[in-house]
Amino acid sequence: ATSITDIANNLLFKYKRNSNECVVEKYQPIVVSLALLQILNEKEHQYKEQPVKFTHDFCSKCVFAFIKAGLTSFKRMISNLINNAVEALEGNEGEVNLKLNKEGNHIKIVIKDGGKGMPQEIVNKIMNSTPVTAGKKDGSGIGFIQIRETLQRNQGKFEINSKVGKGTEVVLFFPIIKTPDWFAKEIKLDKGDMVIILDDDESIHHAWDLRFKEFNQNITIKHFTMGDKAISFINNFSQKEKIFLLTDFELINQELNGIQAIEKTNIKRAIIVTSHFINPVIRSLASKNGVKLLPKPLASEVPIEIINIKYEAENFTKPGSNNADNKRKYAVMKNAKNNSQEPSNLKKIDVVLIDDEEMLVDGLSTLLFERTGKVVDKYYNPEEFLTNLAQYAKDTKIFMDNDFKSNITGIELAKQLHEQGYTNLYLFSGKDFNNGEIPSYLTLISKTDTDNLFSFVNGGGATN
């Protein structure tokens, strides 16, 4: 039913009603391992009456790898290839194996069967885009053409290795993309933290206990199945900065969800652990609250680290901020300060862009290069930029947003850079600021005025 729905929705999306116009499927970041496991689960049900065994082998470094593709077309392509592998067994007992590896900057997916195999002339025809049925009684000859089209639309490529009587191996390659900002790729805790787990499923609590078992000497675990009780406990806890919240989004038969629990407690360190991570509404709500999402199927794989940072007496302070925020801001500042010495071999970069809107940064980076020929480095969060600060000369032009999904603003970031001797600082923001709010060493450029951005990049002043 899921597969049929995917196909129907894709056809309805691709071909508009009363129109011959073809619409390109929307690309999105895909956690490859999760998509493959979902397909394998479907195939186990689909072929449960046949003597076929489905196995998989994913490398540890690949579990959290992302590619950018159309989710429906990607899943249908893998599904078709697995169907081909099962059909190649011709009803005999056999195995279909799905492997996931990493080669350089690419993810490598291998679908392997021990079926009848194909002669080299058939393989050559497939690789040359010639329609073939490969011996299928009812084959249409368009399966691999559709697979090739899907690969081309998603920057992928494929290989086929097959021997008659030995089986077939189809190998797919996709470029790995940067991990999206919404994704929680790790859990970092301070020694002495209390981890609160909020989920209405008791089995999830048991699973987390197993994950945290080796860290029990350094942290405390507390479980809740009811959101209101978790909120009451957190709000009455005297050291709220020591709490790290792991909460489900959907709390069955309760009048709130996990994000609302975070809002009601004003917890600064939290992760939403949910099976609904693909839902754009949930992603938007999480982003609004500065919270990352962890897919539930990856909770057993996510790395957990206990750190014990010794903060110096000169903690960065700001009126209205809590102590935990101050410590984290200071840690970022300290890291930047330690890396701010002018090295002998600096990176040859004209412009640095820092903004957590990935599409905006990617688009501006391309336009700047095309229109001005400038070499651009781009960052999706200020912390990563500060980690690499030592690479850049003091006169590098640095354009930054103000409102980041982190514990630092663009104005605060500019203050750090100014104090360390950086001279070309620009605030590229859509926000309206009051008089005196922007310091004299920081030039404000509106996000609605890209002409001024190009002018400043080229060395000129503001345009009329």
Side-chain angles (χ1 to χ4, degrees):
T2 302
S3 299
I4 291 170
T5 302
D6 283 346
I7 293 170
N9 287 339
N10 186 62
L11 288 171
L12 289 170
F13 177 77
K14 188 174 182 181
Y15 297 101
K16 291 181 179 179
R17 182 174 294 182
N18 300 324
S19 172
N20 293 322
E21 181 183 354
C22 178
V23 183
V24 179
E25 183 183 12
K26 183 180 179 181
Y27 283 22
Q28 60 179 297
I30 297 173
V31 190
V32 186
S33 62
L34 291 184
L36 296 180
L37 286 174
Q38 183 180 5
I39 296 167
L40 279 179
N41 287 335
E42 292 174 4
K43 294 304 170 186
E44 287 176 351
H45 287 284
Q46 181 180 345
Y47 294 108
K48 63 182 179 181
E49 303 298 330
Q50 295 191 28
V52 56
K53 181 180 180 181
F54 294 98
T55 61
H56 68 277
D57 180 16
F58 296 171
C59 75
S60 58
K61 294 182 180 179
C62 305
V63 174
F64 294 89
F66 279 80
I67 63 171
K68 199 166 189 178
L71 180 59
T72 299
S73 59
F74 174 81
K75 289 171 67 176
R76 193 168 70 252
M77 175 188 64
I78 300 296
S79 177
N80 287 339
L81 287 171
I82 294 177
N83 289 343
N84 289 345
V86 173
E87 289 171 7
L89 296 172
E90 298 183 308
N92 298 317
E93 185 175 343
E95 179 180 315
V96 175
N97 179 253
L98 193 58
K99 291 184 179 180
L100 185 61
N101 286 304
K102 183 179 178 183
E103 282 195 6
N105 295 322
H106 285 74
I107 275 293
K108 178 181 177 182
I109 304 169
V110 181
I111 298 100
K112 185 178 181 180
D113 66 71
K116 62 183 180 180
M118 295 182 288
Q120 189 59 42
E121 61 184 76
I122 296 296
V123 174
N124 292 341
K125 285 183 178 181
I126 293 172
M127 298 305 294
N128 291 323
S129 302
T130 304
V132 294
T133 62
K136 289 185 183 180
K137 182 180 178 180
D138 300 313
S140 64
I142 63 174
F144 270 104
I145 292 179
Q146 291 177 336
I147 290 167
R148 182 187 292 275
E149 290 175 352
T150 298
L151 286 164
Q152 288 174 344
R153 286 196 300 269
N154 297 292
Q155 294 83 48
K157 57 183 181 179
F158 77 108
E159 299 173 356
I160 299 177
N161 304 307
S162 187
K163 289 185 179 180
V164 176
K166 297 292 185 181
T168 300
E169 184 180 79
V170 179
V171 186
L172 310 175
F173 296 92
F174 290 90
I176 299 173
I177 66 167
K178 181 182 175 66
T179 302
D181 285 341
W182 59 263
F183 184 79
K185 60 183 178 181
E186 61 187 0
I187 297 175
K188 279 194 173 183
L189 304 169
D190 294 334
K191 188 174 181 180
D193 275 348
M194 172 181 285
V195 178
I196 290 182
I197 298 166
L198 172 59
D199 200 297
D200 52 30
D201 186 345
E202 291 287 355
S203 65
I204 298 299
H205 292 274
H206 178 65
W208 278 122
D209 278 342
L210 292 175
R211 284 303 323 271
F212 285 113
K213 186 175 181 180
E214 63 180 289
F215 305 107
N216 283 344
Q217 291 183 345
N218 297 310
I219 61 174
T220 304
I221 308 293
K222 193 164 183 64
H223 298 275
F224 291 92
T225 56
M226 301 300 295
D228 55 350
K229 291 184 178 180
I231 291 169
S232 176
F233 176 85
I234 293 171
N235 286 335
N236 288 289
F237 193 71
S238 60
Q239 294 179 295
K240 190 183 286 189
E241 72 275 5
K242 288 185 174 293
I243 291 178
F244 195 108
L245 177 62
L246 294 170
T247 175
D248 191 8
F249 175 80
E250 187 179 35
L251 301 171
I252 304 297
N253 297 324
Q254 301 185 41
E255 295 183 354
L256 80 166
N257 57 49
I259 290 180
Q260 290 170 330
I262 293 171
E263 291 174 340
K264 289 178 181 291
T265 57
N266 197 30
I267 282 290
K268 300 303 181 184
R269 295 186 298 153
I271 292 176
I272 301 290
V273 187
T274 176
S275 299
H276 305 290
F277 61 94
I278 294 178
N279 189 319
V281 175
I282 295 177
R283 286 188 187 179
S284 178
L285 288 171
S287 176
K288 181 182 176 182
N289 287 274
V291 181
K292 293 184 183 293
L293 303 177
L294 175 66
K296 263 191 181 176
L298 293 182
S300 61
E301 304 288 342
V302 64
I304 299 173
E305 181 183 355
I306 307 293
I307 55 178
N308 188 15
I309 302 175
K310 294 181 179 179
Y311 299 101
E312 299 178 16
E314 52 175 315
N315 281 348
F316 177 77
T317 58
K318 177 185 176 183
S321 296
N322 66 40
N323 194 43
D325 278 346
N326 294 339
K327 289 180 178 179
R328 280 174 170 72
K329 286 183 181 180
Y330 173 72
V332 171
M333 291 177 64
K334 185 174 182 290
N335 184 40
K337 189 174 182 180
N338 290 341
N339 288 315
S340 64
Q341 302 301 318
E342 202 71 78
S344 57
N345 296 320
L346 294 171
K347 202 171 183 181
K348 295 182 179 179
I349 293 295
D350 298 306
V351 179
V352 173
L353 294 176
I354 314 165
D355 199 308
D356 46 27
E357 292 293 338
E358 295 188 21
M359 289 183 63
L360 175 66
V361 175
D362 293 343
L364 283 176
S365 177
T366 302
L367 283 172
L368 284 171
F369 180 77
E370 291 176 350
R371 293 191 184 183
T372 67
K374 302 295 184 182
V375 180
V376 182
D377 263 10
K378 52 189 180 181
Y379 293 92
Y380 304 125
N381 65 73
E383 289 84 0
E384 183 183 0
F385 164 68
L386 289 172
T387 301
N388 297 309
L389 183 60
Q391 301 177 15
Y392 303 108
K394 302 292 186 181
D395 60 351
T396 303
K397 292 182 178 180
I398 304 172
F399 295 80
M400 67 203 81
D401 189 17
N402 186 63
D403 297 319
F404 296 109
K405 302 182 185 81
S406 61
N407 292 322
I408 188 172
T409 67
I411 292 177
E412 292 169 350
L413 175 61
K415 182 176 184 293
Q416 297 178 35
L417 298 175
H418 172 68
E419 290 173 351
Q420 294 164 35
Y422 287 85
T423 56
N424 285 319
L425 305 176
Y426 302 87
L427 193 68
F428 190 53
S429 173
K431 181 181 177 181
D432 292 327
F433 294 90
N434 298 323
N435 290 334
E437 195 172 353
I438 305 296
S440 59
Y441 52 78
L442 184 60
T443 301
L444 175 64
I445 305 174
S446 172
K447 280 189 175 179
T448 61
D449 191 0
T450 53
D451 287 340
N452 268 340
L453 172 68
F454 295 132
S455 178
F456 279 111
V457 166
N458 273 325
T463 59
N464 293 327

